[in-house]
Amino acid sequence: MNLKFAVFLLTLSVVLGQNNWSVKYYRTQICALKGSTVEIQCTYTTRSHNYYEKIWYTQLNVQKPVDLTTDGDYTNRVSNSCISKTCTLTLTNLKESDSAVYKFSLMRNAVFPRYSNERGVTLSVTDLKVIRQADRIYSSHANMNCLSSCPLSVDISYIWYRNGEKISNRQSSYSAYSNLEDSVSCALRGYEDFPSPPVCFEGQSCNRVTYNNRSICAFKGSSVDISCTYNSYEENVESKFWFSHKHSQEPVDLSEDSQYAGRFQVFETEEGRSTLRISDLRETDSTEYRFKFKTRHFEWRSSLPGTTLTVTDLDISVRVFPYLNLQCVTTCHQLDGSSYVWFKNGQKVDGENSYFYSYTYDYKNSYSCAVKGFENSPSLSVCFNGQSCNIVNYNHRRICALKGSSVDISCTYNSYEAQIESRFWFTAEHSHQWQNPSEPEDLHRNAQFSGRVQVRELLGRSTLTISDLRETDSAEYRFKFKTRGFEWRSSLPGTTLTVTALQVHVTRILTRRQFYTVAELNCHSICIPTGQVSYVWFKNGEKIIFETSSSYTHHFNPEDNIACAMRGYEDYHSPLVHAPQTSSVSASPSGDIVEGSSVKLTCQSDANPAANYIWYKDNQILLQGPEGFFHFTSISSEDKGIYHCKAENQFGQINSSDLFIDVQYAPKNLTVSVSPSNEVMEGSTVTLTCSSDSNPAANYTWYKENEVPPKASGQIFTITNIRPEHSGNYYCKAQNRRGHRNSKSNLTVMARSVKSAVAGSITVIFLAVIFLCAFLLIRKKRSLKQISEPRERPDNIAQLNVGSEYENSSAAVQREPAAQEDELFYSIVRFSKNQEDPLYSNISLAQPSKHWREEEEDEEGVDYTNVAVKSASATPRLRCQEAAEDPSAVYGTVKKKEHLNKV
């Protein structure tokens, strides 16, 4: 509904004159609502019969007046109608940015107005607002009023929204229970696309979404940002996403829409503000975009409009003004302030970047312009006077056609000279190749197009027809003509042809079970056919007779495959849609894998739609996503294991075979052990063992320090019948084809004499026996003394001196005065050195072992020194009683240790 809704605040006419010129505005102030339509009218008088152009412009560009009908910001929203000398400017779909002073002028060139004045018509464009008023009766209620700075008619009907959902109320006010969670908005009926911003019943923390722009115009191939601010009454937002109004029945996240794959990005520059960026825009992207969020207890499902995006070709044109001036006109205001490129006879003109271009009077030349950065979308070329100049204009800059079909590529051309010597169509791998000195090749002579091209000529119009299209025919096609004095060698682009096959897209999954899936499919192509098109569907190679639309819903088993085609082109059906059928994992590089290297695992799957992949190591999930590879930047030994992947799409899944990853590395963690681990006796056997962590298994070599040739090879090194010359430091070397390593610590082997060992053992036994006998004798004496003198207690401490004399194998024991009853005595024992047995003679313990030293400490400082063995027996036996009576017994002098004296 295109309602005219405006309030005319001042209806006085204004008459202004200058040099017999005059203009009268019927209304000088107009207030209108955003989205409505307004008419601004005037009449003019003039006595001149010269040609003047009648234009409307705004005070914003009064220094360089621009006809509003050519202003990109007003494209498709403005018209200028002049009947007799009354002119009416009509503006539709008003924006707040349209607020300005509008003026009428007669112009004789594009730069200076012939007639202008300081006054005009002031237009104010305003938006609706919701104002809250507290209910005086019920404190829990709120009255919400829909207001505008423009006075509104009493018979206007309203529409109210609560949390974005339409409610049944047509009044200018709305009274309801004041809920802190809810937001409210209003609109005029017939102008639902221009509602007021939503406001909260209380505070600012209610649920709401506000879009920054209601409509955006953008050019094909460019990028666009669509933004909104949002708020949730609950702190935690579980999910949020943008969706297209194409899927309004069930919103689908754009990340799941294959049409936008790789072309969109969502980011939040600040909290509560979401921006959708779509790049490489296509005309099929033209639709309404909305934002949705969900919390634990609330879901924003708004019927309020979002942002409408319009994507068009760069609709640019050249307008010819009197006095040799050209103007480049665009369709969308997004290009305001851009630089422009001008072409003369198809060749770029250097130094020109303004949307105005002044040219030299020349009937032979044609002119074209383009926005800088969009040179592939120039305007049509124009002649200064009619169409008699040198000119070529293509009917279409881009054409998309289905594989197997036919296409017509046309252009109109003209030469300033009457006679054209040659003309033909051509294509090249690169757009600039034909400008090389070598002549471009006529398509009739190109073997690739043999029997498939035809050219028709009719009154300055040439049409190239290509049949049985192939995807390799996708290219840019140009036309060339040549006269006696001129050759069209344009740097302007020709017509770009894109040949594509149909594709089956999964629109949505309705049901998914283990053995079947119910899905809605769509037969899609980036080429949108015109007119009524009938489709053919195939399931497992069989034609489905009853399906002729572009959509198909059915039960699909994992083994099924689906395809579609256009009726009449059944031989050029789409690729088959099916569940993953094959999956194998491969590793790169394919040879040995060395620790620290980069390794890439690839999972290849034959699936349509493309599969998602899940990676496993030893049946544990590692990674999942759309990428069919797993990358080790620096693989380690811990990555060794069995890998496999699972490929799955909407119709099924399949597991790959297992791939064992073996990581090779040089020996590490080298250890050496010895058995036995205590001192090694002469004549015994010792075993040295070397081990390491390595892949492949290491070879071992044994070395002795300061000796060049290796001592042995193998993991175990055994030395039998060890001798003193075997003493030294030993180490091992572990080596495989990835490297080698030596043991860090050396092993010291000391071969000790057997005789010394035996002698040492006997010495220990003798000492133990002697000490035991001395202890028993002392206790016996004390017992006898206590019996004979039970009450006697010596006043001083007696000392016992034990001396030994060595003569004719006899000894005498001399006793000192009796010792105190509880006194403890220690002795120094010396053994005869006149022994005939060489094995047990001259044996002494110069430095007691640690074990014996510890016993000395336990015995409170007993001093053991100078021990000599007289017995010829290998294992002598001593009895305590015999120690005092046997003539061959060991005698000694027992002396009290000085530091134990107490008196």
Side-chain angles (χ1 to χ4, degrees):
M1 182 182 297
N2 185 20
L3 298 179
K4 294 182 180 179
F5 185 87
V7 178
F8 306 102
L9 302 180
L10 184 61
T11 59
L12 296 176
S13 62
V14 178
V15 179
L16 299 173
Q18 180 180 354
N19 298 328
N20 297 322
W21 303 86
S22 65
V23 62
K24 180 174 67 176
Y25 298 103
Y26 287 92
R27 299 169 184 88
T28 59
Q29 291 188 1
I30 300 176
C31 183
L33 282 178
K34 181 179 177 180
S36 64
T37 299
V38 69
E39 290 183 350
I40 303 175
Q41 197 172 53
C42 74
T43 60
Y44 70 92
T45 60
T46 179
R47 297 180 181 180
S48 174
H49 298 285
N50 294 331
Y51 170 78
Y52 293 102
E53 188 171 6
K54 310 171 188 66
I55 69 168
W56 288 88
Y57 64 98
T58 67
Q59 192 176 24
L60 298 176
N61 53 20
V62 68
Q63 297 299 325
K64 186 178 289 187
V66 176
D67 187 353
L68 292 182
T69 61
T70 65
D71 191 330
D73 198 20
Y74 293 87
T75 300
N76 300 323
R77 300 193 302 116
V78 64
S79 64
N80 180 14
S81 174
C82 290
I83 301 176
S84 184
K85 292 185 178 181
T86 299
C87 292
T88 302
L89 174 68
T90 303
L91 297 175
T92 63
N93 193 16
L94 285 173
K95 307 176 183 179
E96 290 180 288
S97 59
D98 293 338
S99 298
V101 176
Y102 291 81
K103 297 183 178 182
F104 178 81
S105 177
L106 300 177
M107 302 186 70
R108 295 193 62 180
N109 57 62
V111 180
F112 299 103
R114 175 64 178 173
Y115 178 79
S116 182
N117 56 77
E118 295 182 357
R119 295 199 179 187
V121 178
T122 301
L123 172 64
S124 299
V125 181
T126 184
D127 201 356
L128 291 174
K129 288 181 173 54
V130 173
I131 305 298
R132 180 186 183 278
Q133 294 180 349
D135 195 314
R136 296 179 180 178
I137 300 176
Y138 302 101
S139 60
S140 60
H141 281 65
N143 291 323
M144 315 299 286
N145 293 323
C146 189
L147 302 176
S148 170
S149 58
C150 295
L152 303 178
S153 174
V154 294
D155 59 350
I156 292 178
S157 181
Y158 294 80
I159 297 175
W160 286 88
Y161 304 87
R162 185 163 183 164
N163 287 333
E165 298 291 342
K166 189 181 296 186
I167 57 179
S168 57
N169 183 57
R170 297 191 174 188
Q171 305 301 317
S172 61
S173 63
Y174 171 58
S175 178
Y177 176 76
S178 180
N179 193 333
L180 296 177
E181 301 177 4
D182 296 343
S183 63
V184 66
S185 179
C186 70
L188 296 179
R189 188 169 299 276
Y191 294 90
E192 289 87 346
D193 289 341
F194 299 94
S196 69
V199 298
C200 299
F201 275 103
E202 297 283 348
Q204 296 294 319
S205 61
C206 62
N207 299 309
R208 55 180 170 172
V209 173
T210 304
Y211 298 93
N212 295 61
N213 296 288
R214 290 298 183 183
S215 61
I216 296 178
C217 177
F219 297 108
K220 187 175 180 180
S222 64
S223 298
V224 69
D225 285 351
I226 302 174
S227 299
C228 76
T229 57
Y230 67 95
N231 188 77
S232 169
Y233 182 75
E234 300 180 31
E235 292 185 359
N236 188 23
V237 176
E238 295 182 349
S239 65
K240 51 182 179 286
F241 61 86
W242 287 87
F243 65 96
S244 160
H245 193 55
K246 297 175 183 177
H247 306 290
S248 58
Q249 294 181 351
E250 184 62 35
V252 176
D253 189 344
L254 290 184
S255 64
E256 301 177 5
D257 193 332
S258 58
Q259 177 180 342
Y260 298 91
R263 299 192 300 115
F264 87 101
Q265 180 183 7
V266 176
F267 53 93
E268 295 194 1
T269 56
E270 58 185 89
E271 185 178 0
R273 181 183 181 93
S274 181
T275 299
L276 166 68
R277 175 170 295 171
I278 308 176
S279 58
D280 188 21
L281 285 172
R282 307 168 183 173
E283 290 177 309
T284 54
D285 296 335
S286 298
T287 187
E288 182 185 330
Y289 294 86
R290 297 183 182 180
F291 180 80
K292 177 181 179 180
F293 70 87
K294 184 178 180 180
T295 65
R296 186 176 181 182
H297 301 99
F298 176 79
E299 182 177 5
W300 181 267
R301 300 179 62 91
S302 174
S303 57
L304 284 169
T307 297
T308 300
L309 172 65
T310 302
V311 181
T312 66
D313 272 325
L314 187 58
D315 187 8
I316 191 168
S317 61
V318 173
R319 187 170 185 181
V320 180
F321 287 90
Y323 300 99
L324 308 178
N325 284 295
L326 301 176
Q327 181 183 1
C328 197
V329 181
T330 59
T331 54
C332 289
H333 69 279
Q334 274 82 353
L335 292 180
D336 289 349
S338 299
S339 295
Y340 293 81
V341 179
W342 287 92
F343 302 88
K344 179 179 178 181
N345 288 333
Q347 301 294 324
K348 184 178 178 181
V349 179
D350 294 330
E352 293 290 340
N353 56 14
S354 172
Y355 67 97
F356 272 104
Y357 175 59
S358 298
Y359 59 96
T360 303
Y361 185 82
D362 191 347
Y363 285 99
K364 298 180 180 180
N365 300 326
S366 61
Y367 297 89
S368 177
C369 70
V371 177
K372 193 169 185 178
F374 295 89
E375 287 84 352
N376 288 331
S377 300
S379 70
L380 295 176
S381 297
V382 296
C383 297
F384 171 73
N385 186 14
Q387 292 295 320
S388 60
C389 62
N390 297 311
I391 190 170
V392 172
N393 277 322
Y394 298 93
N395 293 64
H396 301 283
R397 291 295 184 186
R398 299 175 186 86
I399 296 178
C400 187
L402 291 174
K403 179 180 177 181
S405 64
S406 298
V407 69
D408 287 344
I409 303 175
S410 300
C411 75
T412 57
Y413 66 96
N414 187 75
S415 171
Y416 184 74
E417 301 180 23
Q419 187 66 30
I420 295 179
E421 296 181 350
S422 64
R423 52 180 174 263
F424 60 86
W425 287 86
F426 66 95
T427 186
E429 293 182 8
H430 305 288
S431 60
H432 63 275
Q433 179 174 338
W434 75 284
Q435 298 182 19
N436 292 337
S438 59
E439 286 294 322
E441 183 181 23
D442 189 343
L443 285 182
H444 282 104
R445 302 176 183 177
N446 192 322
Q448 177 182 339
F449 297 92
S450 178
R452 299 192 298 120
V453 297
Q454 180 183 2
V455 176
R456 302 189 307 273
E457 297 284 340
L458 179 63
L459 300 176
R461 181 185 182 93
S462 181
T463 302
L464 168 68
T465 301
I466 308 175
S467 58
D468 190 18
L469 285 172
R470 308 167 185 173
E471 289 178 292
T472 55
D473 295 338
S474 298
E476 182 184 338
Y477 294 82
R478 296 184 180 182
F479 179 81
K480 178 183 179 181
F481 71 87
K482 185 177 181 181
T483 66
R484 183 176 182 180
F486 177 80
E487 182 177 7
W488 181 266
R489 299 180 64 87
S490 173
S491 57
L492 288 169
T495 297
T496 300
L497 172 65
T498 302
V499 181
T500 183
L502 290 172
Q503 299 287 335
V504 175
H505 288 173
V506 181
T507 304
R508 54 180 173 165
I509 299 295
L510 302 177
T511 305
R512 178 177 285 134
R513 296 289 185 266
Q514 182 177 0
F515 300 106
Y516 72 91
T517 299
V518 179
E520 179 184 270
L521 308 181
N522 180 262
C523 193
H524 175 76
S525 172
I526 60 174
C527 301
I528 303 177
T530 57
Q532 295 295 326
V533 179
S534 182
Y535 294 85
V536 177
W537 288 88
F538 301 88
K539 182 177 180 181
N540 299 328
E542 298 294 330
K543 186 182 296 186
I544 303 174
I545 304 299
F546 57 86
E547 282 294 342
T548 59
S549 68
S550 61
S551 296
Y552 175 44
T553 303
H554 200 66
H555 289 69
F556 303 101
N557 298 319
E559 64 272 11
D560 291 339
N561 59 72
I562 306 296
C564 70
M566 292 180 60
R567 188 170 299 279
Y569 297 92
E570 286 83 351
D571 292 338
Y572 300 96
H573 61 74
S574 68
L576 298 176
V577 171
H578 55 81
Q581 295 179 346
T582 59
S583 183
S584 58
V585 179
S586 62
S588 176
S590 58
D592 292 341
I593 297 176
V594 182
E595 188 174 41
S597 63
S598 175
V599 178
K600 184 177 181 181
L601 303 184
T602 302
C603 188
Q604 297 176 338
S605 174
D606 178 16
N608 189 17
N612 283 324
Y613 298 91
I614 304 176
W615 286 93
Y616 298 86
K617 177 190 177 185
D618 300 328
N619 294 322
Q620 299 296 320
I621 294 179
L622 288 177
L623 180 70
Q624 54 185 354
E627 301 296 338
F629 60 84
F630 189 81
H631 192 203
F632 301 94
T633 55
S634 179
I635 198 167
S636 66
S637 57
E638 289 78 12
D639 296 322
K640 177 180 178 180
I642 299 175
Y643 292 80
H644 80 276
C645 72
K646 178 192 290 184
E648 62 180 4
N649 65 7
Q650 294 92 326
F651 299 107
Q653 61 186 26
I654 189 172
N655 286 324
S656 71
S657 56
D658 291 338
L659 176 66
F660 176 68
I661 297 297
D662 187 25
V663 182
Q664 297 186 358
Y665 48 93
K668 55 185 176 181
N669 301 328
L670 194 63
T671 60
V672 176
S673 63
V674 60
S675 179
S677 59
N678 53 1
E679 290 185 348
V680 181
M681 298 300 182
E682 182 178 354
S684 63
T685 299
V686 65
T687 301
L688 307 179
T689 305
C690 189
S691 62
S692 69
D693 178 18
S694 61
N695 187 22
N699 295 320
Y700 298 91
T701 306
W702 289 92
Y703 297 88
K704 186 177 181 182
E705 192 175 51
N706 300 325
E707 293 186 11
V708 177
K711 305 301 292 183
S713 61
Q715 190 171 3
I716 300 175
F717 175 31
T718 302
I719 307 175
T720 60
N721 191 22
I722 198 166
R723 298 184 301 278
E725 57 266 26
H726 290 140
S727 297
N729 296 328
Y730 291 82
Y731 65 92
C732 76
K733 178 180 180 181
Q735 183 173 11
N736 63 10
R737 65 174 178 267
R738 298 303 173 194
H740 68 273
R741 178 163 296 185
N742 296 340
S743 58
K744 293 182 179 179
S745 59
N746 296 331
L747 174 68
T748 302
V749 177
M750 297 183 63
R752 212 177 149 195
S753 172
V754 175
K755 290 183 178 182
S756 298
V758 174
S761 301
I762 293 175
T763 301
V764 172
I765 294 173
F766 267 109
L767 287 175
V769 171
I770 291 172
F771 295 151
L772 179 60
C773 293
F775 176 74
L776 292 176
L777 287 174
I778 293 172
R779 292 201 56 176
K780 184 176 181 181
K781 282 184 178 184
R782 289 179 179 177
S783 298
L784 291 175
K785 185 176 180 180
Q786 290 176 357
I787 294 173
S788 61
E789 300 176 357
R791 296 182 181 178
E792 183 180 357
R793 185 176 184 87
D795 294 333
N796 53 10
I797 300 175
Q799 296 182 349
L800 176 64
N801 295 322
V802 181
S804 60
E805 298 180 0
Y806 307 94
E807 183 177 358
N808 298 324
S809 301
S810 64
V813 179
Q814 298 179 355
R815 295 193 58 182
E816 294 291 329
Q820 190 173 347
E821 180 181 5
D822 294 333
E823 194 72 17
L824 180 62
F825 293 92
Y826 297 86
S827 64
I828 298 176
V829 184
R830 296 185 176 90
F831 298 95
S832 174
K833 296 183 180 180
N834 299 327
Q835 302 296 330
E836 297 178 359
D837 191 344
L839 179 63
Y840 301 107
S841 63
N842 302 325
I843 298 176
S844 63
L845 185 61
Q847 294 181 353
S849 66
K850 179 181 179 182
H851 173 72
W852 289 104
R853 287 197 302 269
E854 292 173 354
E855 289 190 357
E856 290 174 12
E857 294 174 2
D858 294 339
E859 292 293 334
E860 298 183 6
V862 179
D863 190 8
Y864 306 108
T865 62
N866 301 329
V867 180
V869 181
K870 182 180 178 182
S871 173
S873 172
T875 310
R877 295 180 296 172
L878 296 178
R879 293 184 177 91
C880 295
Q881 296 294 335
E882 295 173 353
E885 301 173 359
D886 192 350
S888 62
V890 177
Y891 295 94
T893 299
V894 180
K895 179 167 68 172
K896 185 175 182 180
K897 196 171 183 69
E898 294 179 359
H899 69 273
L900 293 177
N901 295 337
K902 299 182 180 179
V903 179

